[in-house]
Amino acid sequence: MFLLRLLRNPFYVYIISFLIVFLVYSLGWSHLYPPLTFSMYLFLIGTFLIALLFGYVFQKNNYIGFQVLDSNLDFRVFTFVLIIWIGFSIEFLYFEQIPFLRLLSGQDVIDYRDFGIKSFHVFLVSFNSFAIVYVFHYYISTRKTKILFYFILLLIPSILIINRGMFLIGIISSLFVYLFSLTKFLKFRQIIVMSISVLFILYLFGYIGNLRSANGDPNYLPKESKATNEFMASKIPKEYYWTYLYAASPLANFQNNINKTKDVNYNFFDLIIFETFPDVLSKRIAGLLNREKLGHHQIVHWLTVGSLYSKSYSYVKWFGPIILFCYLIWIIIISIGLVPKKSSYHITVVAILLTLVFMNTFDNMLVFAGMILQLVYPIFLSLFEKRKI
């Protein structure tokens, strides 16, 4: 139960997710990644301590809790599914194609980033992602077969438009809802089975990666990314190197950006616009004001992620990561404060926050409209729960 309590608290998940990346980074399997500096250690430890304090306060005051939804919400769920499928049907008709079906037929497919009716698509995708979480919570509460069918229906659009990120976010959020529903932690045998399954999936991830690179040579990527002699001589299957490389890359790019960024303009305005506003809004503001978004110094061009913090450092150095951490804390507090335990949308909000915090380990999800806008719908809809209609 102790581990379950940790995984139900966004502040603790922040610590766990960044700690996992740090531990993977500490394996030191590649000379490509720079050593972490004292300032990096200080920042990580500082944010961990603050997150630990907030997590303790939230846990002690029982601000987060699971509740079983009433079984009379079928019409609400059906309405969500209907709205989403009507929306995607409009887009399929507008573009005169369904990307996944075109892919199966061997035709050229429009990229998911170019598919959709501009702003309408952003709200449709984010509403779809929110509905996935809420409907899964309702299924966990009722165990109705019909609701499970609705849940699957909500996952299908991400497949049809070939948006893996949307699908993955929906699954991760649903997994957090499932963890909330557990009254006791998994049995030892279940933990062993899950651990073996994870190791197998990670091995498969590396195996497929090897097949796609250099005619299946398992040593190609380690050589190209300067794997250490110690790793190459070890008995560790080289397939796991892919997991190490990608899991540690956010911290590596963050540290590399710290090392390479010398002079900055300390432009706090651009920091706020590009690192805290949803991307659909910041693009329009940038166009009107002729502002240009800054990038970050990447280790290599094919490792692009830099966690929540890397790009913010390019604007105002350490002020950037500190501001983003405070902003993340504020979002968690406000979201849970506006959708408390008595709301039927409470678990949905918390699960979305948990996913947001977890994904921030890899990139700045605060500016990804498809993620951050998910919080708007439960906050808005919870207002109507207090009214008698």
Side-chain angles (χ1 to χ4, degrees):
M1 282 301 294
F2 174 72
L3 183 57
L4 279 179
R5 287 196 294 269
L6 294 181
L7 295 176
R8 294 169 178 173
N9 191 312
F11 299 105
Y12 292 155
V13 168
Y14 170 87
I15 299 172
I16 293 171
S17 56
F18 271 96
L19 192 57
I20 290 174
V21 171
F22 171 76
L23 293 175
V24 171
Y25 195 93
S26 300
L27 293 173
W29 288 352
S30 172
H31 292 300
L32 191 66
Y33 291 167
L36 300 182
T37 58
F38 175 76
S39 58
M40 174 68 81
Y41 281 109
L42 187 63
F43 175 74
L44 289 177
I45 294 173
T47 60
F48 287 173
L49 291 175
I50 295 173
L52 185 65
L53 175 62
F54 276 101
Y56 173 75
V57 171
F58 269 61
Q59 180 178 318
K60 184 178 180 181
N61 291 278
N62 201 25
Y63 289 141
I64 300 172
F66 182 81
Q67 69 281 91
V68 176
L69 296 179
D70 293 334
S71 59
N72 59 352
L73 301 176
D74 290 23
F75 180 73
R76 179 189 295 182
V77 169
F78 174 76
T79 303
F80 287 167
V81 176
L82 184 63
I83 291 172
I84 288 164
W85 271 96
I86 289 176
F88 278 106
S89 297
I90 292 172
E91 292 196 326
F92 293 146
L93 291 172
Y94 180 82
F95 280 85
E96 298 181 344
Q97 66 166 282
I98 299 177
F100 182 72
L101 298 183
R102 285 179 65 90
L103 179 66
L104 292 180
S105 62
Q107 302 179 61
D108 292 333
V109 179
I110 186 172
D111 191 276
Y112 76 92
R113 288 168 293 189
D114 299 320
F115 182 84
I117 307 173
K118 294 186 177 180
S119 299
F120 173 77
H121 184 70
V122 174
F123 285 101
L124 180 61
V125 167
S126 57
F127 184 74
N128 191 169
S129 297
F130 146 73
I132 287 173
V133 188
Y134 184 80
V135 171
F136 187 74
H137 181 203
Y138 187 51
Y139 167 70
I140 288 293
S141 299
T142 62
R143 300 292 178 174
K144 295 180 181 178
T145 304
K146 176 176 64 175
I147 305 305
L148 179 60
F149 174 69
Y150 287 159
F151 173 72
I152 296 172
L153 279 179
L154 292 175
L155 289 173
I156 291 177
S158 63
I159 299 173
L160 294 180
I161 64 175
I162 318 179
N163 190 333
R164 292 174 296 178
M166 175 183 170
F167 182 84
L168 182 62
I169 287 172
I171 294 297
I172 293 174
S173 298
S174 300
L175 177 60
F176 278 122
V177 173
Y178 173 71
L179 291 177
F180 263 103
S181 69
L182 297 177
T183 56
K184 59 182 180 180
F185 198 57
L186 302 174
K187 296 179 181 178
F188 179 75
R189 185 173 61 181
Q190 293 173 307
I191 295 175
I192 294 297
V193 171
M194 288 182 63
S195 300
I196 294 174
S197 300
V198 169
L199 289 174
F200 174 74
I201 292 171
L202 295 180
Y203 180 88
L204 190 63
F205 172 71
Y207 179 76
I208 294 174
N210 287 336
L211 290 178
R212 294 176 59 185
S213 64
N215 298 320
D217 180 9
N219 294 322
Y220 173 76
L221 184 68
K223 290 178 181 177
E224 288 295 310
S225 57
K226 302 179 181 179
T228 63
N229 293 332
E230 291 78 10
F231 171 76
M232 297 301 293
S234 70
K235 295 182 180 180
I236 301 173
K238 301 305 176 281
E239 285 77 8
Y240 288 115
Y241 186 76
W242 284 81
T243 298
Y244 160 77
L245 203 64
Y246 280 94
S249 63
L251 202 55
N253 278 327
F254 185 18
Q255 182 62 67
N256 190 60
N257 198 40
I258 293 170
N259 296 344
K260 298 290 180 65
T261 302
K262 302 302 180 183
D263 299 318
V264 299
N265 294 325
Y266 288 94
N267 192 325
F268 286 90
F269 179 80
D270 282 2
L271 169 73
I272 299 301
I273 294 299
F274 291 114
E275 295 300 311
T276 65
F277 284 22
D279 47 16
V280 292
L281 184 58
S282 63
K283 290 176 182 177
R284 286 163 173 75
I285 296 176
L288 291 173
L289 302 180
N290 196 27
R291 299 281 183 169
E292 190 171 336
K293 184 178 183 179
L294 296 180
H296 61 153
H297 297 280
Q298 298 167 201
I299 296 290
V300 288
H301 72 277
W302 43 273
L303 292 173
T304 59
V305 296
S307 80
L308 167 67
Y309 301 116
S310 184
K311 293 178 183 177
S312 67
Y313 187 90
S314 300
Y315 291 94
V316 291
K317 291 199 173 179
W318 279 113
F319 288 111
I322 292 171
I323 289 172
L324 285 194
F325 175 70
C326 294
Y327 182 50
L328 176 63
I329 295 290
W330 180 81
I331 286 178
I332 295 172
I333 294 174
I334 291 298
S335 299
I336 295 177
L338 291 176
V339 190
K341 286 196 300 182
K342 62 182 179 181
S343 170
S344 65
Y345 296 100
H346 173 73
I347 291 300
T348 300
V349 160
V350 177
I352 293 171
L353 286 172
L354 290 167
T355 305
L356 172 71
V357 170
F358 173 74
M359 297 297 287
N360 272 332
T361 310
F362 301 97
D363 207 351
N364 184 2
M365 303 304 290
L366 300 177
V367 300
F368 177 43
M371 182 79 243
I372 197 68
L373 286 180
Q374 292 181 46
L375 295 171
V376 174
Y377 308 112
I379 291 174
F380 174 75
L381 291 172
S382 66
L383 299 176
F384 296 92
E385 291 183 309
K386 301 174 183 178
R387 303 178 183 181
K388 300 267 186 192
I389 300 178

